[in-house]
Coordinates of all heavy atoms in Angstrom, one line a residue:
I302 N -4.6 51.3 -17.8 CA -5.1 50.4 -16.7 C -4.6 50.9 -15.3 O -3.3 50.9 -15.2 CB -4.8 48.8 -17.1 CG1 -5.5 48.6 -18.4 CG2 -5.5 48.1 -15.9 CD1 -5.0 47.1 -18.8
I303 N -5.4 51.2 -14.5 CA -5.0 51.5 -13.1 C -5.6 50.6 -12.2 O -6.7 50.3 -12.2 CB -5.4 53.0 -12.8 CG1 -4.8 54.0 -13.8 CG2 -5.1 53.4 -11.4 CD1 -5.3 55.3 -13.6
S304 N -4.9 50.1 -11.2 CA -5.4 49.2 -10.0 C -5.0 50.0 -8.8 O -3.9 50.5 -8.6 CB -4.8 47.8 -10.1 OG -3.5 47.8 -10.2
Q305 N -6.1 50.2 -7.9 CA -6.0 51.0 -6.6 C -6.8 50.3 -5.6 O -7.7 49.5 -5.9 CB -6.4 52.5 -6.9 CG -5.6 53.2 -7.8 CD -5.7 54.6 -7.6 OE1 -4.9 55.3 -8.3 NE2 -6.5 55.2 -6.7
H306 N -6.4 50.6 -4.4 CA -7.2 50.1 -3.2 C -8.5 50.8 -3.0 O -9.5 50.2 -2.6 CB -6.3 50.1 -2.0 CG -5.2 49.3 -2.0 ND1 -5.2 48.1 -1.3 CD2 -4.1 49.0 -2.6 CE1 -4.1 47.3 -1.5 NE2 -3.4 48.0 -2.3
Q307 N -8.6 52.1 -3.4 CA -9.7 52.8 -3.4 C -9.7 54.1 -4.3 O -8.7 54.4 -4.9 CB -10.0 53.4 -2.0 CG -8.9 54.4 -1.5 CD -9.2 54.7 0.0 OE1 -9.6 53.9 0.8 NE2 -9.0 56.0 0.3
L308 N -10.9 54.6 -4.6 CA -10.9 55.7 -5.6 C -10.4 57.0 -4.8 O -10.7 57.0 -3.6 CB -12.3 55.8 -6.0 CG -12.9 54.8 -6.8 CD1 -14.5 55.0 -7.1 CD2 -12.2 54.5 -8.2
T309 N -9.6 57.8 -5.6 CA -9.1 59.0 -4.9 C -9.4 60.2 -5.9 O -9.5 59.9 -7.2 CB -7.7 58.9 -4.7 OG1 -6.9 58.5 -5.9 CG2 -7.4 57.7 -3.8
P310 N -9.4 61.4 -5.4 CA -9.7 62.6 -6.3 C -8.5 62.7 -7.4 O -8.9 63.1 -8.4 CB -9.5 63.7 -5.2 CG -9.9 63.1 -4.0 CD -9.3 61.7 -4.0
E311 N -7.4 62.1 -7.1 CA -6.4 62.3 -8.1 C -6.7 61.6 -9.5 O -6.1 61.8 -10.5 CB -5.0 61.6 -7.6 CG -4.4 62.4 -6.4 CD -5.0 62.2 -5.1 OE1 -5.8 61.3 -5.0 OE2 -4.7 63.0 -4.2
L312 N -7.7 60.7 -9.4 CA -8.1 60.0 -10.7 C -8.9 60.9 -11.6 O -9.1 60.6 -12.8 CB -9.0 58.8 -10.2 CG -8.2 57.7 -9.5 CD1 -9.1 56.7 -9.0 CD2 -7.3 57.0 -10.5
M313 N -9.3 62.0 -11.1 CA -10.0 63.0 -12.1 C -9.3 63.3 -13.3 O -9.9 63.5 -14.3 CB -10.5 64.2 -11.3 CG -11.6 63.9 -10.4 SD -12.1 65.5 -9.5 CE -12.1 65.2 -7.8
E314 N -8.1 63.6 -13.1 CA -7.2 64.0 -14.2 C -6.9 63.0 -15.4 O -7.5 63.2 -16.5 CB -5.8 64.6 -13.7 CG -5.0 65.2 -14.8 CD -4.2 64.2 -15.7 OE1 -3.7 63.3 -15.2 OE2 -4.0 64.7 -16.8
P315 N -6.7 61.7 -14.8 CA -6.6 60.7 -16.1 C -8.1 60.4 -16.6 O -8.2 60.1 -17.8 CB -6.1 59.4 -15.4 CG -6.0 59.8 -14.0 CD -6.1 61.2 -13.8
I316 N -9.2 60.5 -15.8 CA -10.4 60.4 -16.2 C -10.8 61.5 -17.3 O -11.3 61.1 -18.3 CB -11.4 60.5 -15.0 CG1 -11.3 59.1 -14.2 CG2 -13.0 60.6 -15.5 CD1 -12.1 59.1 -13.0
S317 N -10.3 62.7 -17.1 CA -10.6 63.7 -18.1 C -10.0 63.5 -19.4 O -10.4 64.1 -20.4 CB -10.2 65.1 -17.4 OG -8.9 65.2 -17.4
R318 N -8.8 62.8 -19.4 CA -8.2 62.6 -20.7 C -8.7 61.4 -21.5 O -8.3 61.1 -22.6 CB -6.7 62.2 -20.4 CG -6.0 63.4 -19.8 CD -4.5 63.1 -19.8 NE -4.2 62.4 -18.5 CZ -3.8 61.1 -18.5 NH1 -3.6 60.4 -19.5 NH2 -3.6 60.7 -17.3
A319 N -9.7 60.6 -20.9 CA -10.2 59.4 -21.5 C -11.5 59.6 -22.5 O -12.2 60.5 -22.1 CB -10.4 58.2 -20.5
A320 N -11.7 58.8 -23.4 CA -13.0 58.9 -24.2 C -13.9 58.0 -23.4 O -15.2 58.2 -23.5 CB -12.7 58.3 -25.6
H321 N -13.5 56.8 -22.8 CA -14.3 55.9 -22.1 C -13.6 55.4 -20.8 O -12.4 55.1 -20.9 CB -14.7 54.8 -23.0 CG -15.7 53.9 -22.5 ND1 -15.4 52.6 -22.1 CD2 -17.0 54.0 -22.2 CE1 -16.4 51.9 -21.6 NE2 -17.5 52.9 -21.6
V322 N -14.3 55.4 -19.8 CA -13.7 54.9 -18.5 C -14.6 53.6 -18.1 O -15.8 53.6 -18.1 CB -13.8 56.0 -17.4 CG1 -13.2 55.4 -16.1 CG2 -13.0 57.2 -17.8
I323 N -13.8 52.6 -17.7 CA -14.5 51.4 -17.1 C -14.0 51.4 -15.6 O -12.8 51.2 -15.4 CB -14.0 50.2 -18.0 CG1 -14.5 50.3 -19.3 CG2 -14.5 49.0 -17.2 CD1 -14.0 49.2 -20.3
F324 N -15.0 51.5 -14.7 CA -14.7 51.2 -13.3 C -15.0 49.8 -13.0 O -16.0 49.3 -13.4 CB -15.5 52.1 -12.4 CG -15.2 53.5 -12.5 CD1 -15.9 54.3 -13.5 CD2 -14.3 54.2 -11.7 CE1 -15.7 55.6 -13.6 CE2 -14.0 55.6 -11.9 CZ -14.7 56.3 -12.8
I325 N -14.2 49.0 -12.2 CA -14.5 47.6 -11.8 C -14.3 47.5 -10.4 O -13.2 47.9 -9.8 CB -13.6 46.8 -12.5 CG1 -13.6 46.9 -14.1 CG2 -13.8 45.3 -12.2 CD1 -12.5 46.3 -14.8
D326 N -15.5 47.0 -9.6 CA -15.3 46.9 -8.1 C -16.1 45.8 -7.8 O -17.0 45.1 -8.5 CB -15.9 48.1 -7.7 CG -15.9 48.4 -6.1 OD1 -14.9 47.6 -5.5 OD2 -16.5 49.1 -5.5
S327 N -15.9 45.3 -6.5 CA -16.7 44.2 -5.9 C -18.0 45.0 -5.3 O -18.1 46.1 -5.2 CB -15.9 43.5 -4.8 OG -15.6 44.4 -3.8
S328 N -18.9 44.0 -4.8 CA -20.1 44.6 -4.2 C -20.5 43.7 -3.2 O -20.3 42.4 -3.2 CB -21.2 44.6 -5.3 OG -22.5 45.0 -4.7
V329 N -21.1 44.3 -2.1 CA -21.6 43.4 -0.9 C -23.1 42.8 -1.2 O -23.5 42.1 -0.5 CB -21.6 44.1 0.4 CG1 -20.1 44.4 0.8 CG2 -22.3 45.4 0.3
S330 N -23.7 43.5 -2.3 CA -25.1 43.1 -2.5 C -25.2 42.4 -3.8 O -24.4 42.8 -4.8 CB -26.0 44.3 -2.4 OG -25.7 45.3 -3.3
G331 N -26.2 41.5 -4.0 CA -26.3 40.8 -5.3 C -26.0 39.4 -5.3 O -25.4 38.9 -4.2
R332 N -26.2 38.7 -6.3 CA -25.9 37.3 -6.3 C -24.3 37.2 -6.5 O -23.7 37.6 -7.5 CB -26.6 36.6 -7.4 CG -26.5 35.1 -7.4 CD -27.2 34.5 -8.5 NE -26.3 34.6 -9.7 CZ -26.7 34.4 -10.9 NH1 -27.9 34.2 -11.3 NH2 -25.8 34.6 -12.0
A333 N -23.7 36.4 -5.6 CA -22.2 36.3 -5.5 C -21.8 35.7 -6.9 O -22.4 34.8 -7.4 CB -21.7 35.4 -4.5
G334 N -20.8 36.4 -7.6 CA -20.3 36.0 -8.7 C -21.0 36.3 -10.1 O -20.4 36.0 -11.2
K335 N -22.0 37.1 -9.9 CA -22.6 37.6 -11.2 C -21.9 38.9 -11.5 O -21.7 39.7 -10.7 CB -24.1 37.8 -10.8 CG -24.9 38.4 -12.0 CD -26.3 38.6 -11.6 CE -27.2 39.1 -12.8 NZ -26.7 39.8 -13.9
V336 N -21.7 39.2 -12.7 CA -21.2 40.5 -13.2 C -22.3 41.3 -13.6 O -23.2 41.0 -14.4 CB -20.1 40.2 -14.4 CG1 -19.6 41.6 -14.9 CG2 -19.1 39.3 -14.1
N337 N -22.3 42.6 -13.0 CA -23.3 43.6 -13.3 C -22.7 44.7 -14.0 O -21.5 45.1 -13.6 CB -23.9 44.2 -12.0 CG -24.5 43.0 -11.2 OD1 -25.6 42.4 -11.7 ND2 -24.1 42.8 -10.0
R338 N -23.3 45.2 -15.1 CA -22.9 46.3 -16.0 C -23.8 47.4 -15.8 O -24.9 47.3 -15.9 CB -22.8 45.9 -17.5 CG -22.3 47.0 -18.3 CD -22.2 46.5 -19.8 NE -21.7 47.5 -20.6 CZ -22.4 48.4 -21.2 NH1 -23.7 48.6 -20.9 NH2 -21.8 49.3 -21.9

């Protein structure tokens, strides 16, 4: 589990080692409080 202020190119290396990656972010569009997958 990694928590960061923003996505950076350095994340490519741990991404390449994973079988599955889950990104989680906020959004300025959509119904507030709804989770979109």
Side-chain angles (χ1 to χ4, degrees):
I302 302 171
I303 298 173
S304 49
Q305 294 204 174
H306 290 257
Q307 65 186 37
L308 297 176
T309 62
E311 292 79 11
L312 291 168
M313 287 183 229
E314 192 274 328
I316 287 170
S317 75
R318 291 185 279 111
H321 187 244
V322 178
I323 297 172
F324 294 92
I325 306 166
D326 191 17
S327 63
S328 172
V329 295
S330 61
R332 192 181 78 197
K335 180 182 181 337
V336 177
N337 299 299
R338 181 180 184 273

